[in-house]
Amino acid sequence: MSNAMNHIDGPERRALTAIWQNAMGIQAADGLSVSDYLRQTAQKHIDGILSFDELSGIINRYYLEKNAQDASDPEKEEADKVSVNIARLLLSDTMLDLSPEGLSALHRGIFDGVYENTGVLRDYEEYKREWVLGGDAISCTKLEALPRELEECLAKEKKYDYDSVTSVALISHLTSFVASIWRMCPFGEGNTRFTATLTLLYLHDIGINIKNDTFSNYSWYFHNALARANYRDLVKNIEEEPVYLERFFRNMLLGEQWELRNRYVHVRPAAEWRVQPKGNSNTSTGQVQIKKETRKGKERDKENTSKEVVEEANNPNILFLTVAIGEDFLSVKEIMARLHLKGRDNFLKLYLSPAIQRGLVAPLYPNAPRHPRQKYLLSQKGLDFLTETGPEMVARIRRHLTGVNV
């Protein structure tokens, strides 16, 4: 890393700011926060006054002196040092090694100088008691199965082709992968911050650079969403619920505006917090575009999209289906009830399948079509289609569906 970093501005400055915001914000995933001293020092790096190596040396000397005076705050010290380590990793151009050995090296890189035995798979059974679960616990992967499950998960992930999937499918798969890594609790300490850092590095490697501060502002939500994605209690009729983690990624990658408050994720929310609201999503950044696009390609896509909107608007089945689903996650049975349909085969053939083929509707579990908890939601294209349809037409269809006599 260069020591001459003066006059940083424009895109580079914004990128540095995002890296530091995420590196420091990730600490909240484990209930920690950084010191004002680190924030001030990081700003000097962003402004080009300090090189990264100079910053790292300053933070280390700062805590050596405070520890010598017994004046250090252990939690602030941990958060500061881990933030510096994460920023170093995010600034590096080194490709992530998606193997058990690579993940061990990543854990060492994150917690170097903070924990002992970094990068070593845990050697004890682990249970996570979580606030978001009302104090209930999640059982992590059993110790004897951990090495095998971790290796199998990573081997499967290496084969996944992110280049050939829609944004909705990408987010659904990413949610499943990230939730699986967290559930395994591979290491003795810091698994949530490890998972968050792994996510950012992995997204960069598959061609998606995160330029917003979703992790900075919502790391505790990320933690709780991971817990809900991995918690089930059949006695209490509670199932694993990945939708909250998906909404985190939809905000981060698509620019959607789900309200990422922890109260909505709680397994037993108060009545007024049972429905997680979503703001206007017309400001989508469209960041999930792995392949580079030429201007000609964009113009062609825009022309094709306009044609598709006309075709879909002229298909009443697709139009009614998208209005019926709206912003909800619905099963086949629930969608058919909203449409007042009784013939499942005809519904699948004439309504659902055409909408999925056109990319307007996506299954919640795309890799498991017969999943017992399979539900369907509108893709970003489907939401855009509703916007193109216009509020008056949408309202008219909803009134019609509400008023149908069954």
Side-chain angles (χ1 to χ4, degrees), residues 156-401:
K156 180 180 178 181
E157 184 62 23
K158 287 180 181 179
K159 297 178 182 178
Y160 190 77
D161 183 7
Y162 281 95
D163 286 344
S164 61
V165 297
T166 64
S167 298
V168 172
L170 185 153
I171 289 173
S172 178
H173 180 84
L174 180 67
T175 296
S176 176
F177 170 62
V178 171
S180 295
I181 291 293
W182 184 82
R183 177 185 53 79
M184 291 182 202
C185 310
F187 305 104
E189 299 285 350
N191 281 293
T192 305
R193 284 177 287 173
F194 165 80
T195 303
T197 308
L198 170 67
T199 300
L200 286 173
L201 290 171
Y202 189 42
L203 285 170
H204 179 270
D205 279 3
I206 63 176
I208 307 171
N209 292 315
I210 306 304
K211 299 177 181 178
N212 57 51
D213 55 0
T214 306
F215 266 109
S216 173
N217 293 330
Y218 302 107
S219 287
W220 183 239
Y221 176 98
F222 176 71
H223 177 116
N224 291 326
L226 284 166
R228 284 302 308 274
N230 286 290
Y231 176 68
R232 66 185 308 200
D233 188 323
L234 298 181
V235 175
K236 298 177 182 178
N237 197 30
I238 298 172
E239 294 286 354
E240 296 167 348
E241 193 58 87
V243 65
Y244 301 108
L245 187 56
E246 287 197 352
R247 288 170 180 171
F248 175 89
F249 285 130
R250 292 181 76 91
N251 276 20
M252 184 170 72
L253 301 177
L254 297 177
E256 293 187 357
Q257 297 178 25
W258 290 99
E259 193 168 330
L260 303 183
R261 294 194 181 188
N262 297 289
R263 61 191 67 175
Y264 299 115
V265 190
H266 199 281
V267 73
R268 287 182 286 276
E272 62 269 30
W273 307 121
R274 288 176 183 167
V275 178
Q276 187 174 15
K278 178 186 178 187
N280 189 332
S281 63
N282 291 337
T283 57
S284 171
T285 63
Q287 213 176 107
V288 181
Q289 296 178 356
I290 298 174
K291 295 181 179 178
K292 293 182 179 179
E293 296 179 324
T294 63
R295 178 178 298 179
K296 183 176 180 180
K298 290 182 179 179
E299 292 173 351
R300 182 178 63 250
D301 290 344
K302 183 176 181 181
E303 180 181 350
N304 291 339
T305 299
S306 299
K307 291 178 180 178
E308 289 172 358
V309 168
V310 172
E311 292 173 358
E312 288 148 3
N314 290 331
N315 185 327
N317 293 346
I318 290 179
L319 183 57
F320 273 61
L321 176 69
T322 53
V323 173
I325 295 176
E327 294 187 356
D328 296 324
F329 291 74
L330 302 175
S331 66
V332 166
K333 184 178 180 180
E334 290 168 333
I335 301 173
M336 290 177 62
R338 289 192 178 185
L339 291 171
H340 306 283
L341 298 174
K342 296 182 179 179
R344 182 184 177 92
D345 290 344
N346 280 337
F347 166 73
L348 296 176
K349 179 180 179 181
L350 302 176
Y351 289 80
L352 188 58
S353 292
I356 292 175
Q357 290 170 4
R358 286 169 169 79
L360 298 169
V361 175
L364 191 56
Y365 300 96
N367 296 326
R370 299 183 181 276
H371 196 287
R373 298 188 300 279
Q374 185 67 275
K375 293 190 176 184
Y376 299 86
L377 68 156
L378 294 188
S379 65
Q380 185 61 46
K381 182 180 177 182
L383 293 169
D384 292 342
F385 171 57
L386 278 189
T387 301
E388 293 283 344
T389 301
E392 292 185 5
M393 177 63 74
V394 170
R396 187 187 307 173
I397 294 172
R398 283 176 177 158
R399 287 195 298 270
H400 172 76
L401 292 175

Side-chain angles (χ1 to χ4, degrees), residues 30-272:
D30 280 334
L32 302 176
S33 61
V34 301
S35 69
D36 290 337
Y37 185 75
L38 176 62
R39 293 186 184 279
Q40 295 164 5
T41 310
Q43 188 61 51
K44 292 180 180 179
H45 176 238
I46 294 170
D47 292 340
I49 299 171
L50 294 174
S51 72
F52 189 87
D53 289 340
E54 289 170 337
L55 175 145
S56 180
I58 288 171
I59 296 299
N60 284 332
R61 288 192 298 274
Y62 174 75
Y63 280 106
L64 281 173
E65 293 173 3
K66 290 184 75 70
N67 287 327
Q69 301 168 8
D70 290 329
S72 179
D73 180 335
E75 289 191 353
K76 294 291 186 188
E77 180 178 0
E78 176 178 335
D80 286 3
K81 289 184 175 180
V82 173
S83 295
V84 172
N85 289 342
I86 291 175
R88 187 191 303 275
L89 290 165
L90 295 178
L91 286 165
S92 171
D93 291 330
T94 304
M95 288 285 290
L96 179 66
D97 178 6
L98 208 61
S99 69
E101 296 76 19
L103 264 56
S104 291
L106 176 60
H107 189 267
R108 285 193 295 273
I110 296 171
F111 298 107
D112 178 47
V114 177
Y115 295 149
E116 296 180 358
N117 299 321
T118 57
V120 178
L121 294 184
R122 61 179 168 85
D123 57 0
Y124 53 89
E125 300 294 353
E126 176 76 305
Y127 302 90
K128 290 176 176 282
R129 290 199 175 275
E130 301 286 348
W131 164 85
V132 73
L133 307 179
D136 287 353
I138 293 176
S139 297
C140 299
T141 299
K142 292 295 183 183
L143 193 60
E144 62 182 12
L146 176 58
R148 173 181 53 81
E149 285 195 20
L150 181 60
E151 189 167 352
E152 289 177 353
C153 176
L154 296 176
K156 180 180 178 181
E157 184 62 23
K158 287 180 181 179
K159 297 178 182 178
Y160 190 77
D161 183 7
Y162 281 95
D163 286 344
S164 61
V165 297
T166 64
S167 298
V168 172
L170 185 153
I171 289 173
S172 178
H173 180 84
L174 180 67
T175 296
S176 176
F177 170 62
V178 171
S180 295
I181 291 293
W182 184 82
R183 177 185 53 79
M184 291 182 202
C185 310
F187 305 104
E189 299 285 350
N191 281 293
T192 305
R193 284 177 287 173
F194 165 80
T195 303
T197 308
L198 170 67
T199 300
L200 286 173
L201 290 171
Y202 189 42
L203 285 170
H204 179 270
D205 279 3
I206 63 176
I208 307 171
N209 292 315
I210 306 304
K211 299 177 181 178
N212 57 51
D213 55 0
T214 306
F215 266 109
S216 173
N217 293 330
Y218 302 107
S219 287
W220 183 239
Y221 176 98
F222 176 71
H223 177 116
N224 291 326
L226 284 166
R228 284 302 308 274
N230 286 290
Y231 176 68
R232 66 185 308 200
D233 188 323
L234 298 181
V235 175
K236 298 177 182 178
N237 197 30
I238 298 172
E239 294 286 354
E240 296 167 348
E241 193 58 87
V243 65
Y244 301 108
L245 187 56
E246 287 197 352
R247 288 170 180 171
F248 175 89
F249 285 130
R250 292 181 76 91
N251 276 20
M252 184 170 72
L253 301 177
L254 297 177
E256 293 187 357
Q257 297 178 25
W258 290 99
E259 193 168 330
L260 303 183
R261 294 194 181 188
N262 297 289
R263 61 191 67 175
Y264 299 115
V265 190
H266 199 281
V267 73
R268 287 182 286 276
E272 62 269 30

